[in-house]
Amino acid sequence: MVEKYSLEILNRPDLFYQLINNMTDLVFLTKVNQDKSLSYVILNKPAKDLYGLTNESFGRPIEEVLPSNAYHIIKRKYEEAIEKKQPIKYEDMVIVSPLLQTNNHGIIYWESTITPVFNQDGVCTHLLAIVRNLTEQREKENEIQRIKDRLELVWNSVADVMFTFDKNEDIVSVNKAFEKLLGWKAEDLVKDKSISFIPEDDKEDLRKFIERVKNGETVTSHEVKRIPKSGEMIYFLGSFSPLYDQNGDWDGGVVAYKNITERKKYEDKLKELALHDPLTGFPNRTYFSQCLKIEMEKAKLSKLLLSVFALDIDHFKEINDTYGHDIGDEVLKEFAKRVKRAIRKNDFLARIGGDEFVILIPELTEKTKVVEMADRIQQCLGDEWIIANEKIKITSSIGISFYNQFDSEEKTLFKNADLALYEAKKKGRNNYQIYNDQKNG
């Protein structure tokens, strides 16, 4: 019963044409004539509309009814299907007349499947072509590609260093700025997992940033250090943002680094200037006070002695008046250098104004050590001085105070050292005195 019913449907041409005319795909049934010419025998409505064909087109050679460029492509593909004796599939792009344009470009993308039909003698008698319109799909793909190209252009045009990493925290891509500034390409980092541009002391912070990104947070404006291929440290302002897959699941992150190395150097220079004496290059009073507070706290814990020296250049005003301020400045610079050579490496020398200097001497095990140090300073200053071809005799008076009761303040240490210095001057200069509560009281 089913076979009979099916046979009846196949014997109804009106139903057959209704079916193929309702198809969105284009249907071309082409006859292969004995002289190898080709002519259409069945076309559905979408196929006829494509080239503006009518019923008069049937039976005529297809080169007479098709545009020349379309004919040559179709003929070549038909011959290929006949030669291979099997269906072939190919894609093509055609420009259609304005009346048939479905997009702004007048371009239609096709996917054609051509099936050769052979008789019992193995001769190809017909070719069935089913043509599917891929225009919408290709335009979407082209638009996606245009967006990708635009993003890649932006990605590689920005001055900031950028890279992406996946959910395994492996680097996936880097931009041109990354390659230029840090020296590595993405393939270098993928192939060699031992390459690291993260300093050891920054790795813990990076781990925290990534954990925050995994939780969907965007981390912005964090100062970080990174090591380029050249090895010279670069400072960045880093931002870390999460990436998600099409299901909305976390899939890695994108990192942007703004190079702030020059700004960092400038800031460091400003800090250096703020904490150092511009003439001698040694620390100033502010820097000395900061270090003194730190060392006082250390002394409380270690129970070791801490000493402060206050010293100046004897008769420095007379040197300025006699030789001029330029030579006076040179005397100050040479004085600082000589004193620095006489003290220990971890002792701290600062110029606090004029010809006044202070020395912070931490971690003393006994008071007699400062006497040895004061002697060394006096001795190094006693060597011959020649400044701008002028022989100048330089001596210094030194006042010494101790922080050993762990109850005095910073200003008290300064005051006690100054009192001892005053005592040294009373005793004729060019000597040192140790502060004594009863004697200086």
Side-chain angles (χ1 to χ4, degrees):
M1 187 73 176
V2 173
E3 291 181 358
K4 182 179 179 182
Y5 180 69
S6 299
L7 188 60
E8 289 175 355
I9 292 176
L10 292 174
N11 287 326
R12 288 183 56 187
D14 60 325
L15 181 58
F16 171 73
Y17 284 112
Q18 184 179 348
L19 288 172
I20 66 168
N21 282 328
N22 287 333
M23 292 173 63
T24 55
D25 291 349
L26 285 62
V27 179
F28 299 82
L29 182 60
T30 305
K31 182 180 179 181
V32 182
N33 300 307
Q34 289 185 356
D35 62 357
K36 304 301 182 183
S37 65
L38 305 169
S39 58
Y40 291 129
V41 292
I42 294 177
L43 301 172
N44 69 349
K45 186 176 185 306
K48 287 194 288 186
D49 290 345
L50 174 65
Y51 295 115
L53 303 179
T54 64
N55 291 337
E56 285 72 28
S57 303
F58 293 108
R60 295 171 59 187
I62 63 173
E63 63 264 32
E64 296 181 7
V65 298
L66 292 179
S68 177
N69 60 335
Y71 164 70
H72 289 297
I73 294 173
I74 291 171
K75 182 175 182 293
R76 188 169 64 250
K77 294 298 180 180
Y78 279 5
E79 289 174 349
E80 181 183 344
I82 294 171
E83 182 182 352
K84 290 183 176 179
K85 296 184 179 182
Q86 63 182 20
I88 65 169
K89 183 179 289 188
Y90 72 96
E91 289 190 22
D92 192 20
M93 178 186 75
V94 297
I95 301 175
V96 299
S97 66
L99 294 175
L100 298 173
Q101 289 182 13
T102 58
N103 57 27
N104 294 330
H105 311 290
I107 296 174
I108 298 179
Y109 298 87
W110 301 110
E111 179 187 74
S112 301
T113 303
I114 302 173
T115 304
V117 180
F118 296 88
N119 63 16
Q120 59 187 2
D121 297 325
V123 177
C124 181
T125 59
H126 294 80
L127 292 149
L128 177 64
I130 307 295
V131 181
R132 176 162 296 170
N133 190 336
L134 300 180
T135 303
E136 185 176 352
Q137 177 183 336
R138 289 293 177 264
E139 286 187 340
K140 287 180 179 178
E141 291 172 353
N142 290 341
E143 181 60 26
I144 291 172
Q145 187 60 48
R146 280 194 291 271
I147 293 171
K148 285 183 177 179
D149 291 343
R150 180 60 62 89
L151 288 174
E152 184 174 356
L153 179 63
V154 173
W155 173 257
N156 285 317
S157 297
V158 295
D160 292 348
V161 168
M162 299 182 71
F163 67 92
T164 62
F165 61 90
D166 59 22
K167 57 188 175 184
N168 297 317
E169 300 176 24
D170 293 324
I171 289 181
V172 176
S173 62
V174 304
N175 69 347
K176 294 295 183 185
F178 185 106
E179 294 178 4
K180 182 178 179 180
L181 204 55
L182 291 176
W184 284 290
K185 296 183 178 181
E187 50 264 35
D188 298 330
L189 300 167
V190 170
K191 289 178 184 176
D192 189 353
K193 300 296 184 183
S194 68
I195 294 175
S196 177
F197 50 91
I198 314 296
E200 284 298 324
D201 56 351
D202 265 26
K203 287 184 177 179
E204 182 58 32
D205 282 342
L206 178 62
R207 166 59 39 210
K208 293 176 183 177
F209 295 155
I210 291 178
E211 287 303 315
R212 290 169 65 181
V213 169
K214 283 182 179 180
N215 292 326
E217 185 180 349
T218 296
V219 182
T220 60
S221 302
H222 276 269
E223 190 174 301
V224 298
K225 302 188 298 292
R226 296 297 179 256
I227 308 170
K229 202 171 187 178
S230 63
E232 185 178 352
M233 194 75 73
I234 300 178
Y235 291 85
F236 294 102
L237 203 60
S239 297
F240 307 78
S241 303
L243 294 176
Y244 301 94
D245 62 19
Q246 57 188 5
N247 298 318
D249 297 324
W250 183 77
D251 197 38
V254 58
V255 180
Y257 290 150
K258 183 178 184 62
N259 188 355
I260 59 168
T261 304
E262 291 304 315
R263 189 185 87 183
K264 183 72 176 174
K265 288 179 179 178
Y266 180 69
E267 289 174 352
D268 289 345
K269 185 65 176 177
L270 289 179
K271 290 178 183 177
E272 179 84 4
L273 292 173
L275 297 174
H276 287 77
D277 166 45
L279 177 64
T280 64
F282 281 84
N284 60 15
R285 179 187 288 272
T286 301
Y287 196 177
F288 182 85
S289 295
Q290 292 175 3
C291 292
L292 179 57
K293 290 174 183 177
I294 293 171
E295 292 300 331
M296 287 170 69
E297 290 300 316
K298 287 183 181 179
K300 285 181 182 179
L301 297 174
S302 67
K303 304 302 181 185
L304 294 175
L305 295 173
L306 175 69
S307 180
V308 171
F309 281 27
L311 60 163
D312 63 13
I313 300 173
D314 294 333
H315 306 295
F316 182 69
K317 184 178 182 303
E318 294 177 15
I319 294 173
N320 271 336
D321 292 342
T322 303
Y323 301 103
H325 287 278
D326 287 344
I327 289 182
D329 287 346
E330 294 302 316
V331 168
L332 288 170
K333 289 190 280 188
E334 179 63 21
F335 179 86
K337 291 177 184 177
R338 293 195 181 201
V339 172
K340 181 62 179 175
R341 286 198 296 266
I343 61 180
R344 302 174 307 176
K345 186 176 181 180
N346 63 328
D347 295 335
F348 194 87
L349 172 66
R351 181 189 177 207
I352 61 174
D355 64 321
E356 298 176 73
F357 291 80
V358 287
I359 306 172
L360 170 60
I361 305 173
E363 300 177 355
L364 285 168
T365 55
E366 50 186 298
K367 289 187 176 182
T368 54
K369 295 292 183 182
V370 299
V371 173
E372 296 174 6
M373 195 170 300
D375 284 334
R376 285 202 303 273
I377 292 172
Q378 298 283 6
Q379 184 177 350
C380 79
L381 295 177
D383 296 338
E384 185 177 48
W385 288 60
I386 299 178
I387 305 291
N389 297 320
E390 297 284 352
K391 288 185 178 182
I392 304 173
K393 180 174 176 58
I394 300 294
T395 61
S396 175
S397 300
I398 303 173
I400 302 170
S401 66
F402 286 100
Y403 178 67
N404 58 355
Q405 300 301 317
F406 313 119
D407 57 359
S408 58
E409 298 178 351
E410 172 198 348
K411 62 182 180 180
T412 305
L413 273 174
F414 270 115
K415 179 183 176 182
N416 292 345
D418 272 337
L419 289 172
L421 173 61
Y422 179 71
E423 186 67 21
K425 288 182 179 294
K426 281 173 50 177
K427 290 184 177 294
R429 294 183 171 84
N430 192 23
N431 71 92
Y432 56 85
Q433 297 294 317
I434 297 173
Y435 175 78
N436 182 294
D437 284 335
Q438 295 179 344
K439 185 175 167 181
N440 298 90

